[in-house]
């Protein structure tokens, strides 16, 4: 090997002093590997001590050091009942939703303020648009940067508002206010803005006609010559 290639080999072998794992003692490496092996599920302190097979005081010291070096993190487990319970997880993993409560939780607590703001905002958008799909509402919020949220959060909020009778879920007919929404698409509107749907036979003008007793097929007054009946027939069908 010539001098230049030898120097290159030495350069490749030189440890990366900027690496966060540089300088870890054996115990730290063992504990880090145990935590990493659990990926996004995390691991409880008692389980770390059991799997690392080290003295409890050594595990405690290693965990503290690894958190300080930002190689692992503590995540509050919302599934624990009655007391706060943290799990350890490598920083490169995002915790499983069941552990943190998902997008509606902040630091292990239900984010009631965010939920309230999102509900109120969605209601205002629906009142402004008269009728809209969940995707349409989310697109508007995203475009105007009103509130940062996901399309899934908007859909879940709208479903809860339907259950609370704050809004009504309907399907687009493609007509009138629904002209820009594909026929059959699920959309939402305010409860006060929806009229009661009745069957086509119930709205026939004949029921309120004062001359219904004189109306006969091919007579002077008949369905064929009735202006109101013709208008109703063309509108309905």
């Amino acid at each position: 090997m010539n001098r230049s290639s030898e120097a290159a080999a030495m350069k490749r072998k030189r440890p990366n002093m900027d690496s966060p794992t540089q300088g870890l003692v054996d115990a730290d490496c063992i504990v880090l590997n145990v935590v990493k092996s659990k990926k996004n599920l995390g691991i409880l302190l008692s389980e770390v001590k059991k799997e690392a097979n080290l003295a409890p005081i050594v595990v405690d010291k290693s965990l503290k050091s690894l958190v300080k070096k930002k190689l692992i993190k503590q995540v509050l487990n919302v599934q624990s009942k009655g007391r706060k319970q943290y799990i350890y997880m490598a920083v490169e993993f995002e915790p499983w939703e069941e552990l943190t409560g998902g997008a509606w939780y902040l630091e292990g607590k239900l984010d009631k303020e965010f939920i309230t703001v999102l509900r109120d905002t969605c209601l205002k958008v629906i009142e402004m648009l008269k009728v809209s799909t969940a995707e349409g509402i989310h697109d508007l919020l995203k475009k105007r940067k009103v509130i940062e949220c996901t399309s899934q959060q908007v859909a879940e909020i709208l479903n809860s508002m339907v259950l609370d009778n704050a809004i009504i879920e309907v399907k687009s007919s493609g007509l009138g206010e629904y002209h820009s929404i594909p026929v059959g698409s699920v959309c939402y509107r305010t409860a006060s803005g929806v009229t009661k749907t009745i069957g086509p036979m119930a709205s026939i003008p004949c029921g309120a006609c004062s001359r219904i007793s004189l109306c006969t097929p091919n007579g002077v007054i008949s369905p064929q010559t009735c202006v109101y009946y013709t208008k109703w027939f063309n509108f309905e069908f």
Side-chain angles (χ1 to χ4, degrees):
M1 181 182 295
N2 57 40
R3 184 171 297 179
S4 59
S5 58
E6 184 177 335
M10 290 179 64
K11 185 176 181 180
R12 286 196 298 270
K13 293 179 181 178
R14 182 178 297 171
N16 181 7
M17 301 305 293
D18 295 328
S19 173
T21 57
Q22 180 65 30
L24 293 182
V25 298
D26 290 345
D28 291 349
C29 291
I30 293 173
V31 171
L32 178 60
N33 288 334
V34 169
V35 175
K36 278 189 172 184
S37 69
K38 305 305 176 182
K39 299 184 178 180
N40 66 336
L41 296 178
I43 184 170
L44 294 169
L45 173 60
S46 58
E47 294 173 347
V48 176
K49 291 180 177 180
K50 182 179 179 180
E51 294 193 24
N53 197 25
L54 297 169
I57 190 172
V58 174
V59 173
D60 290 337
K61 184 178 179 180
S62 291
L63 288 172
K64 185 176 181 180
S65 174
L66 293 170
V67 170
K68 187 175 182 179
K69 290 178 180 289
K70 298 183 188 281
L71 292 173
I72 64 173
K73 58 187 175 183
Q74 286 182 300
V75 178
L76 182 62
N77 181 10
V78 299
Q79 290 183 327
S80 59
K81 305 296 182 181
R83 63 188 179 87
K84 284 187 176 181
Q85 185 183 66
Y86 289 91
I87 59 173
Y88 290 93
M89 185 178 299
V91 292
E92 58 263 35
F93 296 109
E94 287 300 320
W96 184 41
E97 274 198 1
E98 294 296 326
L99 295 173
T100 61
W104 302 115
Y105 282 75
L106 181 64
E107 297 180 352
K109 294 182 179 180
L110 187 65
D111 195 346
K112 295 181 180 179
E113 182 179 353
F114 172 69
I115 292 172
T116 299
V117 171
L118 184 55
R119 280 176 63 99
D120 292 345
T121 304
C122 286
L123 183 59
K124 288 179 181 178
V125 171
I126 294 172
E127 290 175 342
M128 178 182 70
L129 299 178
K130 305 300 183 184
V131 62
S132 178
T133 61
E135 293 80 6
I137 294 171
H138 178 253
D139 288 343
L140 182 62
L141 297 180
K142 185 177 180 180
K143 182 179 180 181
R144 297 192 179 182
K145 299 180 180 180
V146 178
I147 184 172
E148 188 175 341
C149 60
T150 65
S151 58
Q152 181 63 29
Q153 285 176 317
V154 170
E156 291 178 7
I157 279 291
L158 293 174
N159 286 336
S160 71
M161 293 172 70
V162 169
L163 293 175
D164 292 339
N165 295 319
I167 59 174
I168 290 180
E169 180 182 294
V170 294
K171 286 189 177 181
S172 172
S173 63
L175 302 173
E177 294 178 343
Y178 302 93
H179 72 278
S180 61
I181 303 174
V183 176
S185 298
V186 174
C187 40
Y188 304 87
R189 59 185 307 157
T190 57
S192 60
V194 177
T195 56
K196 184 178 180 181
T197 302
I198 58 177
M201 296 306 294
S203 61
I204 293 177
C206 309
C209 183
S210 60
R211 298 192 177 187
I212 186 64
S213 61
L214 302 176
C215 184
T216 59
N218 301 317
V220 177
I221 300 175
S222 70
Q224 289 86 351
T225 59
C226 179
V227 176
Y228 304 107
Y229 186 89
T230 301
K231 287 183 178 179
W232 170 85
F233 188 90
N234 290 335
F235 176 77
E236 291 294 336
F237 299 97

